mmCIF file of all heavy atoms in Angstrom:
data_model
loop_
_atom_site.group_PDB
_atom_site.id
_atom_site.type_symbol
_atom_site.label_atom_id
_atom_site.label_comp_id
_atom_site.label_asym_id
_atom_site.label_seq_id
_atom_site.Cartn_x
_atom_site.Cartn_y
_atom_site.Cartn_z
ATOM 1 N N ASP A 319 -60.895 -40.650 -182.234
ATOM 2 C CA ASP A 319 -59.469 -40.773 -182.247
ATOM 3 C C ASP A 319 -58.777 -39.581 -182.821
ATOM 4 O O ASP A 319 -57.762 -39.624 -183.567
ATOM 5 C CB ASP A 319 -59.020 -42.064 -183.017
ATOM 6 C CG ASP A 319 -59.454 -43.343 -182.335
ATOM 7 O OD1 ASP A 319 -59.434 -43.367 -181.043
ATOM 8 O OD2 ASP A 319 -59.886 -44.260 -183.064
ATOM 9 N N SER A 320 -59.259 -38.403 -182.493
ATOM 10 C CA SER A 320 -58.695 -37.183 -182.969
ATOM 11 C C SER A 320 -57.288 -36.981 -182.446
ATOM 12 O O SER A 320 -57.013 -37.221 -181.244
ATOM 13 C CB SER A 320 -59.573 -35.970 -182.577
ATOM 14 O OG SER A 320 -60.811 -36.031 -183.283
ATOM 15 N N ASP A 321 -56.388 -36.496 -183.300
ATOM 16 C CA ASP A 321 -55.005 -36.291 -182.878
ATOM 17 C C ASP A 321 -54.942 -34.935 -182.061
ATOM 18 O O ASP A 321 -55.995 -34.248 -181.849
ATOM 19 C CB ASP A 321 -54.072 -36.291 -184.071
ATOM 20 C CG ASP A 321 -54.341 -35.162 -185.077
ATOM 21 O OD1 ASP A 321 -55.150 -34.233 -184.796
ATOM 22 O OD2 ASP A 321 -53.775 -35.229 -186.197
ATOM 23 N N PHE A 322 -53.755 -34.552 -181.653
ATOM 24 C CA PHE A 322 -53.616 -33.332 -180.853
ATOM 25 C C PHE A 322 -54.172 -32.083 -181.516
ATOM 26 O O PHE A 322 -54.937 -31.348 -180.932
ATOM 27 C CB PHE A 322 -52.118 -33.147 -180.531
ATOM 28 C CG PHE A 322 -51.881 -32.001 -179.545
ATOM 29 C CD1 PHE A 322 -51.790 -32.276 -178.185
ATOM 30 C CD2 PHE A 322 -51.633 -30.699 -179.995
ATOM 31 C CE1 PHE A 322 -51.553 -31.226 -177.299
ATOM 32 C CE2 PHE A 322 -51.446 -29.665 -179.126
ATOM 33 C CZ PHE A 322 -51.361 -29.914 -177.774
ATOM 34 N N GLY A 323 -53.848 -31.950 -182.793
ATOM 35 C CA GLY A 323 -54.296 -30.765 -183.531
ATOM 36 C C GLY A 323 -55.815 -30.706 -183.619
ATOM 37 O O GLY A 323 -56.411 -29.658 -183.363
ATOM 38 N N ARG A 324 -56.446 -31.726 -184.016
ATOM 39 C CA ARG A 324 -57.874 -31.758 -184.233
ATOM 40 C C ARG A 324 -58.594 -31.580 -182.906
ATOM 41 O O ARG A 324 -59.623 -30.952 -182.790
ATOM 42 C CB ARG A 324 -58.350 -33.051 -184.915
ATOM 43 C CG ARG A 324 -59.870 -33.010 -185.253
ATOM 44 C CD ARG A 324 -60.287 -34.236 -185.975
ATOM 45 N NE ARG A 324 -59.840 -34.188 -187.380
ATOM 46 C CZ ARG A 324 -60.473 -33.518 -188.304
ATOM 47 N NH1 ARG A 324 -61.598 -32.872 -188.075
ATOM 48 N NH2 ARG A 324 -60.084 -33.533 -189.563
ATOM 49 N N THR A 325 -58.048 -32.241 -181.858
ATOM 50 C CA THR A 325 -58.610 -32.071 -180.489
ATOM 51 C C THR A 325 -58.593 -30.640 -180.034
ATOM 52 O O THR A 325 -59.608 -30.071 -179.547
ATOM 53 C CB THR A 325 -57.889 -32.954 -179.490
ATOM 54 O OG1 THR A 325 -58.027 -34.357 -179.897
ATOM 55 C CG2 THR A 325 -58.435 -32.766 -178.111
ATOM 56 N N LEU A 326 -57.438 -29.995 -180.264
ATOM 57 C CA LEU A 326 -57.316 -28.597 -179.883
ATOM 58 C C LEU A 326 -58.247 -27.661 -180.713
ATOM 59 O O LEU A 326 -58.842 -26.718 -180.223
ATOM 60 C CB LEU A 326 -55.886 -28.184 -180.009
ATOM 61 C CG LEU A 326 -55.530 -26.707 -179.652
ATOM 62 C CD1 LEU A 326 -55.988 -26.360 -178.218
ATOM 63 C CD2 LEU A 326 -54.031 -26.459 -179.879
ATOM 64 N N TYR A 327 -58.353 -28.014 -181.969
ATOM 65 C CA TYR A 327 -59.212 -27.235 -182.872
ATOM 66 C C TYR A 327 -60.694 -27.329 -182.347
ATOM 67 O O TYR A 327 -61.405 -26.322 -182.352
ATOM 68 C CB TYR A 327 -59.068 -27.891 -184.280
ATOM 69 C CG TYR A 327 -60.187 -27.643 -185.304
ATOM 70 C CD1 TYR A 327 -60.475 -26.340 -185.666
ATOM 71 C CD2 TYR A 327 -60.870 -28.696 -185.839
ATOM 72 C CE1 TYR A 327 -61.470 -26.110 -186.633
ATOM 73 C CE2 TYR A 327 -61.877 -28.459 -186.765
ATOM 74 C CZ TYR A 327 -62.179 -27.146 -187.182
ATOM 75 O OH TYR A 327 -63.154 -26.982 -188.104
ATOM 76 N N ALA A 328 -61.118 -28.544 -181.940
ATOM 77 C CA ALA A 328 -62.470 -28.705 -181.447
ATOM 78 C C ALA A 328 -62.688 -27.913 -180.161
ATOM 79 O O ALA A 328 -63.721 -27.186 -179.990
ATOM 80 C CB ALA A 328 -62.774 -30.215 -181.223
ATOM 81 N N TYR A 329 -61.757 -28.000 -179.272
ATOM 82 C CA TYR A 329 -61.862 -27.240 -178.029
ATOM 83 C C TYR A 329 -61.958 -25.755 -178.276
ATOM 84 O O TYR A 329 -62.753 -25.008 -177.671
ATOM 85 C CB TYR A 329 -60.663 -27.565 -177.125
ATOM 86 C CG TYR A 329 -60.749 -28.751 -176.236
ATOM 87 C CD1 TYR A 329 -59.711 -29.678 -176.116
ATOM 88 C CD2 TYR A 329 -61.896 -28.999 -175.438
ATOM 89 C CE1 TYR A 329 -59.743 -30.777 -175.306
ATOM 90 C CE2 TYR A 329 -61.971 -30.111 -174.599
ATOM 91 C CZ TYR A 329 -60.897 -31.049 -174.534
ATOM 92 O OH TYR A 329 -60.951 -32.094 -173.674
ATOM 93 N N THR A 330 -61.129 -25.278 -179.231
ATOM 94 C CA THR A 330 -61.041 -23.890 -179.457
ATOM 95 C C THR A 330 -62.289 -23.337 -180.112
ATOM 96 O O THR A 330 -62.882 -22.307 -179.684
ATOM 97 C CB THR A 330 -59.837 -23.532 -180.377
ATOM 98 O OG1 THR A 330 -58.648 -24.060 -179.765
ATOM 99 C CG2 THR A 330 -59.664 -22.058 -180.604
ATOM 100 N N LYS A 331 -62.796 -24.000 -181.136
ATOM 101 C CA LYS A 331 -64.008 -23.537 -181.826
ATOM 102 C C LYS A 331 -65.224 -23.538 -180.864
ATOM 103 O O LYS A 331 -65.980 -22.602 -180.803
ATOM 104 C CB LYS A 331 -64.307 -24.373 -183.040
ATOM 105 C CG LYS A 331 -65.528 -23.923 -183.836
ATOM 106 C CD LYS A 331 -65.724 -24.714 -185.073
ATOM 107 C CE LYS A 331 -64.816 -24.264 -186.254
ATOM 108 N NZ LYS A 331 -65.208 -24.866 -187.518
ATOM 109 N N ALA A 332 -65.339 -24.625 -180.100
ATOM 110 C CA ALA A 332 -66.452 -24.716 -179.133
ATOM 111 C C ALA A 332 -66.385 -23.687 -178.097
ATOM 112 O O ALA A 332 -67.391 -23.070 -177.720
ATOM 113 C CB ALA A 332 -66.489 -26.156 -178.534
#
Side-chain angles (χ1 to χ4, degrees):
D319 293 323
S320 293
D321 62 13
F322 185 92
R324 185 177 286 277
T325 298
L326 180 56
Y327 161 62
Y329 274 134
T330 304
K331 183 176 279 190

